[in-house]
Amino acid sequence: MNKTASQSQSKDGNPDKEKSANQSQSIKATSTDTTSPVSTPIENTLTKDTLEKPEKKPQIFDELQISKGKYRPVAQAVGHWLDNINMDALNYLNEQAENIFYRKGVTFTVYSDAKNIERMIPFDIIPRIIAASEWKQIEAGCKQRITALNAFLHDIYHDQAIMKADIVPASYVYASGCYEPWMMGIELDKPIYSHISGIDLIRDETGRFCVLEDNLRTPSGVSYMLESRNISETLLADIFTETPIMGISDYPNRLKACLASSTSKYDPQVVILTPGRFNSAYYEHAFLAHEMNVPLVHGYDLVVEDSKVYMQGIRGKVQVDVIYRRIDDPYIDPLAFKSDSILGVSGLMSAYRAGNVVIVNAPGTGVADDKSLYPFVPDMIKFYLNEEPILPNIETYQCRKPDDLKYVLDNLDKLVVKETQGSGGYGMLIGPTSTKEEIEEYRVRLLENPAGFIAQPTISLSTNPTAVSDGIAPRHIDLRPFILSHGDGTVDIVPGGLTRVAMIEGSLVVNSSQGGGIKDTWIIDDSDLDSQQTDKCSPLSSVGVNASGHANYYDRVQPLETGYESLDDAPMILLLSTASHLIWLGRYSERLYYYDDVMKQLIKGDLKKSQIRHLISHLGFAVDSEVSLTTMKAQMMADLEQNIIPNIVQSIEDNVQEAKGVIGKDTAELYNLIKRLSSAGTYRAATLQLHACNAAMKQENPTVTCFWQLGRHFEQLERAVLLGEDSTEISFEFRHWINELPENTRWRELIRLTNQMIRSKKFSDFALISKEFNLILRQGV
C-alpha cells in the first residue's frame, strides 16, 4: 500500500518512516528560523513554474514567538510561564492530563489496528494562542464560506443556477459520490443543509490563515475541544484565571439551539443517531448526548410509521423531530441507499421527504466538501454573496484536466495528492516523504482514474511549542473551528476550535490515528494588552483546583421528553434497548461479585469436594469433577482467572458503553477503572472497584437504578434456584424492583409470575419467569 500521510489535511497517514526526535531540545521553544524539510511557499499567485524552480526554504510561522526568546504580545503570560517552569513540572502536568483522559475514557478507534482498537488521544498542556483580533477574521471567513456552501447545496438540488452559469461544471457535481438524486426538489422547512460544519485551517509561513478543506458531512472532534479546555481550567488554573480567554463551554447549548432551529416545531424532540460503540467517534456521540440532555439512539431504537419517526422507549413510542445523525449517507436508510445496512432506519428518507423529521446534516451535503469542488468555493462566494473570499484557498490541481494531470505526474515527489472522495486520511500521497516505489505505485492509480484525484503543494504548517521527552520543541499544528448554521440563516462559532498537533519531529501528520495529538486553543482578548500581560507568572508544578468543575456535581443529566412546560414534569426517556443493557449490567455486576467470592473460598480452602462438584454441575465450570480435590481447585481457579472473570469484566464494559447515554459521567469514569484494572490482571482490585460503581449507580436517576437493580436481583434469583438454595427472600426483593418500574411497561407483567413462584416454590414456575424475562429483555434490540 502507498504511504499515506497528512499535512494536517485532516487525513491519516503512516508516520512509521518519519524520523523521530534525536537531538536534545532546549527548554525554550525553537524560534521561527526553523525550516521545514518538506515545505513550499503558498501564494494565491502560485504557478507551476514557481514550483518547478527550487527556492530558498521559507521560515515557519511560530504561534508563540516572534523570534527566539521574544514572545508575541498576546502570548506574554504563557511565554513567561514557560520561561520559569522546569521540565519535571511540565511533564507532570502532561501526565496528569493523560490520567484525566484515561479516567474519563477519552478515546478514539483505529479500524486498521486489530490488536489495539481503542487508543487514548495524546494531549499537550502548552496551549495554542490566537489573538481575538485575528480570530475575528477567522470567524468572518468561516461564516462567509459556510453561508456560500449552504447556498450552493440548496442550489444544486433546486434551480442549479451556478451550474447553468457554467461556474461549477455540472459534470463535477453529478460525478461526486456524495451527490444524492434523492434530494432533488425536497423543500426543507429551513433551507440549511450543513448545520454543523468544520473548516480545517492552516497557517502558512507568513502567518496567514488558509482553508485546507471543508468538512460538511459529519465533522468530529468538538468533544476533544471541550475536554482540552477542561484540562486547561483544571491543571493551569492560576494562569487561566489571570488570562482573558474567551469561553467555549456553552457549545453544547449552542449546538442544541442550532438543532432546534432546524424545524419550525416548538420544543422539538432531538436525538443523536450513532452507529455504535465501535465507531471512532462514539465517545463524542455519548458526550454530546449527555451535554445536550438528549437521547443517544441506534438505528434499531427508531421505527418509521405513517412517514413519522419514533423512538422505542420503555413507556411507549416517542416521536422524533430532529435527528443529529453521525452515520454516513449510504447507511442511514437501507430502503433508499445500501440495502445491507444494519446501522440506519428503514423508511427514514420517506419521513424526511414528507417533512416530518429533520436530518442534520442533510443527506447529500457531502457533495460540497468533495475535493474536486473545493477549488470552486471562492467562485461560490462571489456568485451567491457577491463578496471576495476572506480566507484563501490553497492552490489546487485538478487531475481531470490534461494540463494539470501532466504537471502532477511530473511533480509527484513535490506534491500532496488526494482522492476527491477520500476521508479519514486514506488514499493520500505526500510526495516529499514517499519512496520512489510508493510514488510509482500511486502514479498507476492516478493514470487509471485521473478524475478521482486532486493535488496541492506541500504546505509549511505553523508550529507551536510542545512538551517532548527531552524538552520543549516546535511541532506542526492545524485548526478546526466548529461552525453552527441556524435555521434562520444566522451562523454561530464558538471562539476556539480543535488544534491538532503532529507529535513527531518534522512530521506534518496531525491525525490521532497516526500518533497526532491535541492542544487547547486559547482565543485571548488583545484589545488592551497592557492590562492582560503578566510580568510574573509562577510555574505550575501541581494540579490546580477549579471550583467551577464541581458546579454540576449533583446535577444528574438525563434525556427528557419534550413538550412539558416544566422540566421537572418531563419524564426521562429510557430506550428499550438501553433498559436491556442496564439489566445486563446489573446481572454481570452481581456475577462478578459471586465468582470473586468463589475464588476467595478456593484460595482459603473453605470449599469441600462435594460443594465444588455441586458448583461444577450447576454453573457449568470447565472442570473435570472426577479428578482429585487439588486438581479440581486448580482447574476451577484457572477457568475463573482465564475465562469466566475476564469475560464478565468485558461484558460489564460492553454494557456500560451502551448505557453511556443515561448514566452519569462520574459513574462511567468509575466503571472505566474496572476495565483498566482487569487488563492489568488485578481482578481482585477490579471487584473492589465495583463497590464504588454500585454506590454510584444507586445515585442515578431512579428509573436507571431500578432496571439495574432488577438485573442484579434476577441474577441472584436464578443462581439460588439453580443451586437449589432457598429463594424466598430474593423472590420478594425481585418483586419489589418490578413494582418500582414505571406502570406502563411490559416488565410489570412479571409480578404475577413471581407471586406464583413465591407461593409454589417450584422450578417450573421459575422457568416461566425466566422465559418471560428473556423475551422482554430482547425488546427493541
Side-chain angles (χ1 to χ4, degrees):
M1 180 177 178
N2 291 328
K3 177 179 179 179
T4 59
S6 169
Q7 47 179 334
S8 156
Q9 321 321 64
S10 79
K11 304 304 169 200
D12 294 338
N14 183 350
D16 295 341
K17 296 183 181 179
E18 299 285 352
K19 295 181 180 179
S20 60
N22 55 14
Q23 293 181 338
S24 175
Q25 303 290 336
S26 66
I27 191 69
K28 294 182 183 294
T30 304
S31 67
T32 54
D33 61 0
T34 305
T35 58
S36 168
V38 292
S39 60
T40 302
I42 305 168
E43 299 294 342
N44 283 338
T45 57
L46 185 66
T47 65
K48 300 169 189 175
D49 292 336
T50 60
L51 270 178
E52 290 169 348
K53 298 176 182 179
E55 298 182 1
K56 183 180 179 181
K57 294 177 181 177
Q59 292 183 335
I60 298 175
F61 187 86
D62 189 306
E63 298 279 345
L64 287 192
Q65 297 186 112
I66 298 172
S67 60
K68 189 172 182 178
K70 184 178 181 181
Y71 294 97
R72 301 187 185 282
V74 76
Q76 290 293 322
V78 172
H80 291 155
W81 167 63
L82 286 174
D83 286 340
N84 289 283
I85 194 170
N86 63 66
M87 206 60 223
D88 287 341
L90 195 61
N91 287 335
Y92 176 75
L93 289 172
N94 268 333
E95 289 173 3
Q96 291 300 305
E98 182 180 0
N99 288 337
I100 292 173
F101 274 14
Y102 188 84
R103 190 176 70 242
K104 288 186 173 183
V106 182
T107 61
F108 63 96
T109 301
V110 181
Y111 298 120
S112 59
D113 187 354
K115 295 181 179 179
N116 187 15
I117 294 177
E118 192 177 63
R119 295 182 184 175
M120 207 70 58
I121 191 164
F123 175 82
D124 183 65
I125 196 69
I126 303 173
R128 187 247 190 96
I129 307 295
I130 299 175
S133 56
E134 292 180 304
W135 178 256
K136 289 180 181 178
Q137 182 194 26
I138 296 173
E139 184 177 46
C142 288
K143 287 182 177 180
Q144 178 195 59
R145 194 172 181 96
I146 201 61
T147 300
L149 286 168
N150 267 313
F152 169 72
L153 285 164
H154 184 269
D155 186 22
I156 65 171
Y157 291 120
H158 291 83
D159 296 335
Q160 300 186 334
I162 201 168
M163 296 153 70
K164 293 173 182 176
D166 204 26
I167 294 173
V168 175
S171 60
Y172 282 34
V173 174
Y174 296 142
S176 171
C178 295
Y179 178 76
E180 297 293 354
W182 268 91
M183 293 296 294
M184 282 298 299
I186 294 182
E187 296 299 332
L188 303 182
D189 184 15
K190 303 291 182 70
I192 301 296
Y193 287 74
S194 182
H195 306 78
I196 298 100
S197 313
I199 295 180
D200 289 347
L201 305 175
I202 57 95
R203 221 170 189 179
D204 66 14
E205 70 284 349
T206 67
R208 180 185 59 169
F209 283 100
C210 305
V211 177
L212 194 61
E213 67 178 35
D214 307 290
N215 299 277
L216 279 72
R217 305 178 213 185
T218 53
S220 63
V222 74
S223 60
Y224 296 151
M225 176 188 77
L226 295 170
E227 292 288 19
S228 296
R229 179 55 55 87
N230 289 334
I231 294 286
S232 293
E233 292 178 342
T234 302
L235 301 183
L236 301 181
D238 294 344
I239 189 173
F240 193 91
T241 55
E242 295 173 0
T243 307
I245 303 167
M246 302 178 73
I248 61 172
S249 60
D250 62 342
Y251 176 84
N253 292 333
R254 294 186 181 194
L255 174 59
K256 191 172 185 179
C258 176
L259 295 171
S261 76
S262 65
T263 176
S264 297
K265 184 172 181 178
Y266 173 74
D267 195 16
Q269 183 67 63
V270 177
V271 301
I272 295 179
L273 176 60
T274 177
R277 58 176 296 240
F278 295 108
N279 182 265
S280 60
Y282 181 72
Y283 173 82
E284 178 160 298
H285 306 166
F287 176 89
L288 291 176
H290 239 293
E291 294 299 312
M292 290 194 295
N293 200 21
V294 301
L296 179 66
V297 303
H298 298 73
Y300 51 71
D301 293 313
L302 302 179
V303 62
V304 176
E305 294 180 358
D306 298 326
S307 293
K308 295 179 182 179
V309 182
Y310 299 89
M311 55 183 155
Q312 302 181 88
I314 59 170
R315 291 180 174 85
K317 296 171 184 172
V318 179
Q319 186 173 350
V320 175
D321 304 304
V322 179
I323 299 176
Y324 176 20
R325 54 82 175 238
R326 298 300 295 262
I327 297 177
D328 292 337
D329 285 1
Y331 304 96
I332 60 175
D333 182 351
L335 297 183
F337 303 108
K338 288 179 68 70
S339 60
D340 59 347
S341 171
I342 60 172
L343 301 177
V345 185
S346 296
L348 178 57
M349 283 303 295
S350 67
Y352 183 68
R353 289 182 69 89
N356 293 326
V357 70
V358 176
I359 301 175
V360 175
N361 287 339
T365 296
V367 68
D369 64 23
D370 187 305
K371 294 175 183 61
S372 66
L373 292 170
Y374 161 88
F376 297 98
V377 177
D379 297 322
M380 296 177 196
I381 293 171
K382 296 173 186 176
F383 183 80
Y384 296 113
L385 307 181
N386 196 26
E387 298 172 358
E388 290 297 320
I390 297 171
L391 296 172
N393 269 19
I394 294 165
E395 183 73 9
T396 301
Y397 304 100
Q398 301 179 54
C399 297
R400 68 177 70 210
K401 296 181 177 180
D403 289 345
D404 283 11
L405 176 61
K406 183 180 183 303
Y407 174 74
V408 171
L409 291 171
D410 291 342
N411 294 275
L412 280 175
D413 60 332
K414 304 181 184 72
L415 301 172
V416 173
V417 189
K418 315 178 196 178
E419 294 178 341
T420 58
Q421 297 298 314
S423 63
Y426 301 103
M428 287 180 54
L429 175 84
I430 290 188
T433 60
S434 298
T435 65
K436 290 182 179 180
E437 291 77 12
E438 289 165 344
I439 290 174
E440 291 309 310
E441 289 176 7
Y442 208 91
R443 185 187 304 276
V444 173
R445 294 183 59 204
L446 191 52
L447 287 169
E448 288 176 348
N449 179 29
F453 296 87
I454 57 98
Q456 295 172 331
T458 307
I459 306 164
S460 174
L461 307 184
S462 62
T463 62
N464 201 86
T466 301
V468 295
S469 59
D470 50 3
I472 298 177
R475 292 292 184 264
H476 292 292
I477 59 173
D478 78 347
L479 176 67
R480 176 178 291 183
F482 295 95
I483 303 101
L484 301 175
S485 300
H486 289 252
D488 61 2
T490 59
V491 181
D492 183 26
I493 307 176
V494 289
L498 177 64
T499 289
R500 298 181 299 178
V501 52
M503 302 299 289
I504 301 173
E505 182 183 11
S507 174
L508 300 174
V509 183
V510 300
N511 303 85
S512 55
S513 59
Q514 302 299 321
I518 57 176
K519 287 175 173 286
D520 192 11
T521 307
W522 292 6
I523 311 301
I524 296 180
D525 182 5
D526 59 342
S527 58
D528 187 2
L529 286 174
D530 292 336
S531 65
Q532 66 174 270
Q533 292 177 14
T534 306
D535 293 331
K536 295 181 180 180
C537 185
S538 58
L540 297 173
S541 58
S542 60
V543 179
V545 178
N546 178 25
S548 64
H550 302 290
N552 298 322
Y553 187 79
Y554 296 104
D555 182 18
R556 298 293 179 182
V557 180
Q558 302 291 349
L560 301 176
E561 189 172 335
T562 61
Y564 291 82
E565 293 185 7
S566 171
L567 288 178
D568 293 335
D569 297 332
M572 174 193 175
I573 296 176
L574 183 63
L575 301 170
L576 289 175
S577 62
T578 308
S580 295
H581 289 299
L582 289 170
I583 286 174
W584 278 112
L585 177 59
R587 292 198 65 175
Y588 283 115
S589 298
E590 190 61 32
R591 201 171 295 181
L592 181 59
Y593 273 141
Y594 179 77
Y595 285 120
D596 177 69
D597 185 63
V598 170
M599 283 187 67
K600 285 189 292 184
Q601 293 184 65
L602 287 170
I603 293 170
K604 292 180 180 180
D606 293 342
L607 293 176
K608 299 177 182 179
K609 192 171 186 176
S610 58
Q611 292 174 308
I612 294 177
R613 282 179 170 171
H614 185 68
L615 293 175
I616 294 171
S617 173
H618 292 87
L619 298 184
F621 286 94
V623 177
D624 184 353
S625 60
E626 301 303 322
V627 297
S628 67
L629 176 60
T630 302
T631 303
M632 273 196 295
K633 286 183 177 180
Q635 289 180 354
M636 186 176 284
M637 285 291 294
D639 195 24
L640 286 166
E641 291 180 331
Q642 299 171 19
N643 299 309
I644 295 176
I645 291 182
N647 289 336
I648 292 173
V649 170
Q650 183 59 53
S651 295
I652 289 174
E653 163 69 9
D654 292 344
N655 286 285
V656 167
Q657 290 292 334
E658 296 291 352
K660 265 190 173 180
V662 297
I663 61 175
K665 290 189 290 185
D666 294 337
T667 303
E669 284 185 31
L670 293 173
Y671 275 112
N672 282 338
L673 284 175
I674 291 181
K675 179 182 178 181
R676 312 302 176 192
L677 291 168
S678 176
S679 298
T682 53
Y683 299 123
R684 179 63 182 148
T687 306
L688 293 174
Q689 175 64 22
L690 190 59
H691 288 282
C693 298
N694 286 354
M697 286 298 294
K698 292 176 182 178
Q699 302 300 316
E700 292 291 340
N701 181 283
T703 303
V704 171
T705 300
C706 192
F707 277 96
W708 171 74
Q709 289 279 27
L710 189 66
R712 289 187 65 204
H713 287 84
F714 181 79
E715 181 73 15
Q716 294 174 16
L717 176 62
E718 182 179 67
R719 187 170 60 243
V721 171
L722 290 176
L723 294 177
E725 300 171 352
D726 184 7
S727 60
T728 304
E729 184 176 347
I730 188 59
S731 297
F732 282 108
E733 285 290 323
F734 179 63
R735 187 178 63 180
H736 165 76
W737 288 108
I738 299 172
N739 276 314
E740 291 296 309
L741 293 172
E743 288 286 343
N744 53 344
T745 65
R746 186 179 170 188
W747 291 99
R748 296 296 294 267
E749 297 174 14
L750 291 171
I751 293 177
R752 177 182 58 81
L753 295 176
T754 305
N755 286 333
Q756 184 174 317
M757 177 187 168
I758 291 173
R759 290 192 298 268
S760 70
K761 298 182 181 181
K762 292 181 179 179
F763 180 83
S764 58
D765 287 324
F766 169 75
L768 293 175
I769 294 176
S770 182
K771 181 180 179 180
E772 183 68 13
F773 187 91
N774 287 294
L775 284 173
I776 301 173
L777 200 59
R778 290 194 289 270
Q779 289 182 119
V781 178

mmCIF file of all heavy atoms in Angstrom, residues 69 144-145 188 239 300 307 332-333 386 626 630 688 693 706 723:
data_model
loop_
_atom_site.group_PDB
_atom_site.id
_atom_site.type_symbol
_atom_site.label_atom_id
_atom_site.label_comp_id
_atom_site.label_asym_id
_atom_site.label_seq_id
_atom_site.Cartn_x
_atom_site.Cartn_y
_atom_site.Cartn_z
ATOM 1 N N GLY A 69 13.120 33.645 22.056
ATOM 2 C CA GLY A 69 13.033 34.306 23.350
ATOM 3 C C GLY A 69 12.120 35.501 23.393
ATOM 4 O O GLY A 69 11.904 36.082 24.452
ATOM 5 N N GLN A 144 -18.646 33.342 6.192
ATOM 6 C CA GLN A 144 -18.839 33.619 4.771
ATOM 7 C C GLN A 144 -18.794 32.328 3.964
ATOM 8 O O GLN A 144 -19.648 32.087 3.099
ATOM 9 C CB GLN A 144 -17.746 34.576 4.284
ATOM 10 C CG GLN A 144 -17.808 34.901 2.814
ATOM 11 C CD GLN A 144 -16.527 35.543 2.316
ATOM 12 O OE1 GLN A 144 -15.453 34.955 2.419
ATOM 13 N NE2 GLN A 144 -16.635 36.763 1.810
ATOM 14 N N ARG A 145 -17.836 31.499 4.269
ATOM 15 C CA ARG A 145 -17.636 30.278 3.491
ATOM 16 C C ARG A 145 -18.802 29.308 3.662
ATOM 17 O O ARG A 145 -19.307 28.749 2.682
ATOM 18 C CB ARG A 145 -16.321 29.622 3.921
ATOM 19 C CG ARG A 145 -15.825 28.539 2.974
ATOM 20 C CD ARG A 145 -14.437 28.080 3.369
ATOM 21 N NE ARG A 145 -13.933 27.058 2.456
ATOM 22 C CZ ARG A 145 -13.150 27.293 1.414
ATOM 23 N NH1 ARG A 145 -12.782 28.537 1.147
ATOM 24 N NH2 ARG A 145 -12.735 26.306 0.646
ATOM 25 N N LEU A 188 -36.981 21.854 2.185
ATOM 26 C CA LEU A 188 -36.745 21.765 3.616
ATOM 27 C C LEU A 188 -37.492 22.878 4.347
ATOM 28 O O LEU A 188 -37.656 23.987 3.823
ATOM 29 C CB LEU A 188 -35.247 21.877 3.911
ATOM 30 C CG LEU A 188 -34.333 20.846 3.225
ATOM 31 C CD1 LEU A 188 -32.888 21.060 3.658
ATOM 32 C CD2 LEU A 188 -34.780 19.438 3.563
ATOM 33 N N ILE A 239 -2.808 30.441 35.774
ATOM 34 C CA ILE A 239 -2.605 31.262 34.577
ATOM 35 C C ILE A 239 -3.909 31.435 33.810
ATOM 36 O O ILE A 239 -4.154 32.474 33.196
ATOM 37 C CB ILE A 239 -1.512 30.651 33.671
ATOM 38 C CG1 ILE A 239 -1.163 31.612 32.546
ATOM 39 C CG2 ILE A 239 -1.938 29.314 33.112
ATOM 40 C CD1 ILE A 239 0.015 31.146 31.712
ATOM 41 N N TYR A 300 -31.653 0.671 15.508
ATOM 42 C CA TYR A 300 -32.703 -0.248 15.952
ATOM 43 C C TYR A 300 -33.603 0.356 17.027
ATOM 44 O O TYR A 300 -34.616 -0.246 17.403
ATOM 45 C CB TYR A 300 -32.099 -1.570 16.450
ATOM 46 C CG TYR A 300 -30.991 -1.443 17.470
ATOM 47 C CD1 TYR A 300 -31.238 -1.040 18.780
ATOM 48 C CD2 TYR A 300 -29.675 -1.742 17.118
ATOM 49 C CE1 TYR A 300 -30.229 -0.939 19.715
ATOM 50 C CE2 TYR A 300 -28.650 -1.644 18.045
ATOM 51 C CZ TYR A 300 -28.928 -1.236 19.344
ATOM 52 O OH TYR A 300 -27.911 -1.135 20.268
ATOM 53 N N SER A 307 -44.911 7.582 7.884
ATOM 54 C CA SER A 307 -43.930 8.611 7.497
ATOM 55 C C SER A 307 -43.533 9.508 8.668
ATOM 56 O O SER A 307 -43.185 10.670 8.496
ATOM 57 C CB SER A 307 -44.471 9.476 6.345
ATOM 58 O OG SER A 307 -44.597 8.703 5.173
ATOM 59 N N ILE A 332 -27.859 5.355 6.196
ATOM 60 C CA ILE A 332 -28.917 5.878 7.055
ATOM 61 C C ILE A 332 -30.284 5.244 6.788
ATOM 62 O O ILE A 332 -31.146 5.254 7.667
ATOM 63 C CB ILE A 332 -29.026 7.419 6.959
ATOM 64 C CG1 ILE A 332 -29.334 7.857 5.531
ATOM 65 C CG2 ILE A 332 -27.776 8.073 7.475
ATOM 66 C CD1 ILE A 332 -29.558 9.357 5.414
ATOM 67 N N ASP A 333 -30.486 4.719 5.580
ATOM 68 C CA ASP A 333 -31.782 4.105 5.266
ATOM 69 C C ASP A 333 -31.562 2.985 4.248
ATOM 70 O O ASP A 333 -31.301 3.254 3.080
ATOM 71 C CB ASP A 333 -32.736 5.153 4.696
ATOM 72 C CG ASP A 333 -34.131 4.587 4.402
ATOM 73 O OD1 ASP A 333 -34.308 3.356 4.482
ATOM 74 O OD2 ASP A 333 -35.039 5.383 4.090
ATOM 75 N N ASN A 386 -21.746 37.784 -3.643
ATOM 76 C CA ASN A 386 -21.163 38.965 -4.288
ATOM 77 C C ASN A 386 -20.076 39.582 -3.398
ATOM 78 O O ASN A 386 -20.000 40.804 -3.222
ATOM 79 C CB ASN A 386 -22.249 40.004 -4.596
ATOM 80 C CG ASN A 386 -21.764 41.053 -5.591
ATOM 81 O OD1 ASN A 386 -20.869 40.790 -6.398
ATOM 82 N ND2 ASN A 386 -22.332 42.249 -5.522
ATOM 83 N N GLU A 626 -14.301 -35.559 38.237
ATOM 84 C CA GLU A 626 -13.864 -36.883 38.667
ATOM 85 C C GLU A 626 -12.404 -36.905 39.116
ATOM 86 O O GLU A 626 -11.909 -37.945 39.547
ATOM 87 C CB GLU A 626 -14.070 -37.895 37.543
ATOM 88 C CG GLU A 626 -15.509 -38.029 37.067
ATOM 89 C CD GLU A 626 -16.449 -38.412 38.201
ATOM 90 O OE1 GLU A 626 -16.047 -39.228 39.061
ATOM 91 O OE2 GLU A 626 -17.574 -37.875 38.237
ATOM 92 N N THR A 630 -7.520 -31.387 44.770
ATOM 93 C CA THR A 630 -6.480 -30.411 44.427
ATOM 94 C C THR A 630 -6.548 -30.032 42.952
ATOM 95 O O THR A 630 -6.467 -28.855 42.587
ATOM 96 C CB THR A 630 -5.089 -30.970 44.756
ATOM 97 O OG1 THR A 630 -5.028 -31.309 46.141
ATOM 98 C CG2 THR A 630 -4.015 -29.961 44.415
ATOM 99 N N LEU A 688 -13.224 -4.928 43.766
ATOM 100 C CA LEU A 688 -13.352 -3.901 44.797
ATOM 101 C C LEU A 688 -13.829 -2.580 44.195
ATOM 102 O O LEU A 688 -14.617 -1.853 44.813
ATOM 103 C CB LEU A 688 -12.008 -3.709 45.516
ATOM 104 C CG LEU A 688 -11.532 -4.891 46.371
ATOM 105 C CD1 LEU A 688 -10.136 -4.633 46.897
ATOM 106 C CD2 LEU A 688 -12.498 -5.130 47.526
ATOM 107 N N CYS A 693 -18.663 1.581 41.932
ATOM 108 C CA CYS A 693 -19.587 1.701 40.804
ATOM 109 C C CYS A 693 -21.030 1.470 41.247
ATOM 110 O O CYS A 693 -21.947 2.202 40.848
ATOM 111 C CB CYS A 693 -19.221 0.696 39.714
ATOM 112 S SG CYS A 693 -17.589 0.946 38.997
ATOM 113 N N CYS A 706 -33.450 1.469 38.878
ATOM 114 C CA CYS A 706 -34.433 0.399 39.010
ATOM 115 C C CYS A 706 -34.143 -0.749 38.039
ATOM 116 O O CYS A 706 -34.158 -1.932 38.426
ATOM 117 C CB CYS A 706 -35.829 0.966 38.768
ATOM 118 S SG CYS A 706 -37.144 -0.157 39.231
ATOM 119 N N LEU A 723 -28.830 -23.507 42.134
ATOM 120 C CA LEU A 723 -28.039 -24.193 43.151
ATOM 121 C C LEU A 723 -28.913 -24.864 44.209
ATOM 122 O O LEU A 723 -28.395 -25.464 45.159
ATOM 123 C CB LEU A 723 -27.081 -23.209 43.825
ATOM 124 C CG LEU A 723 -25.971 -22.642 42.924
ATOM 125 C CD1 LEU A 723 -25.134 -21.625 43.692
ATOM 126 C CD2 LEU A 723 -25.089 -23.770 42.391
#
